[in-house]
Each structure stands twice: as structure tokens, then as C-alpha cells.
């Protein structure tokens, strides 16, 4: 597993936690790993055989919006049609 980029969402008025989002690649498939900083909650979502630019765009968007790791898999599955 090769880690490419890491984005962070700091604490916000609506949530008092920091969240990290990592883009990683393994055998041509991209993943977004996300976890709550200082906690034990961790989520890994497969993006499949997409381009690196798309994986980076999504991870950066999730960090900007402060998406909870629990919701990332659902959001990505809703984006596929």
C-alpha cells in the first residue's frame, strides 16, 4: 500500500474532532483511509480503478467539508451509477 496524499479537517464549531484523510494506492486501485484523530475510529473505502486525480479530489473535498469517516463509503457508493 503506497500512501500518496494526506488531508486534514480540523475541529469545527459543529464538531470538536479532527479528521485525517489519506489517499493510497495498491495494485492499481485507489483507497481513501480516514480516521478521527486521537480516537480509534478508522474507515477504509475502495475507489476502484480510478485515476489518482479523482482520488485526490475526493479526499480533499471530504477534508474541506469535514465528512465523518462513517459516511464516506455511503457517499462514494451513491456517486456510482
Amino acid at each position: 500500500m503506497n500512501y500518496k496524499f494526506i488531508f486534514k479537517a480540523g475541529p469545527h464549531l459543529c464538531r470538536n474532532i479532527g479528521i485525517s484523510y489519506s489517499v493510497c494506492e495498491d495494485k492499481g486501485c485507489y483507497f481513501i483511509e480516514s480516521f478521527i484523530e486521537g480516537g480509534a475510529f478508522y474507515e477504509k473505502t475502495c475507489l476502484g480503478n480510478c485515476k489518482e486525480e479523482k482520488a485526490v479530489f475526493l479526499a480533499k473535498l471530504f477534508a474541506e467539508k469535514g465528512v465523518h469517516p462513517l459516511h464516506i463509503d455511503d457517499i462514494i457508493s451513491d456517486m456510482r451509477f
Side-chain angles (χ1 to χ4, degrees):
M1 182 94 37
N2 297 319
Y3 289 84
K4 305 278 188 170
F5 299 92
I6 298 174
F7 299 98
K8 294 185 182 232
H12 188 269
L13 293 174
C14 298
R15 71 180 149 66
N16 195 21
I17 57 172
I19 306 171
S20 292
Y21 309 84
S22 303
V23 175
C24 45
E25 182 266 333
D26 188 32
K27 299 177 185 169
C29 288
Y30 282 91
F31 299 84
I32 294 179
E33 291 184 351
S34 53
F35 65 93
I36 295 174
E37 296 175 354
F41 191 83
Y42 162 86
E43 189 74 31
K44 183 176 181 180
T45 302
C46 180
L47 299 174
N49 295 330
C50 69
K51 295 187 183 232
E52 182 176 300
E53 293 83 16
K54 181 177 179 181
V56 171
F57 171 79
L58 288 173
K60 187 175 180 182
L61 179 65
F62 293 153
E64 288 173 357
K65 301 298 182 183
V67 177
H68 192 284
L70 182 64
H71 302 296
I72 291 176
D73 195 41
D74 291 333
I75 292 169
I76 290 172
S77 67
D78 287 348
M79 294 172 72
R80 296 179 184 145
F81 13 109

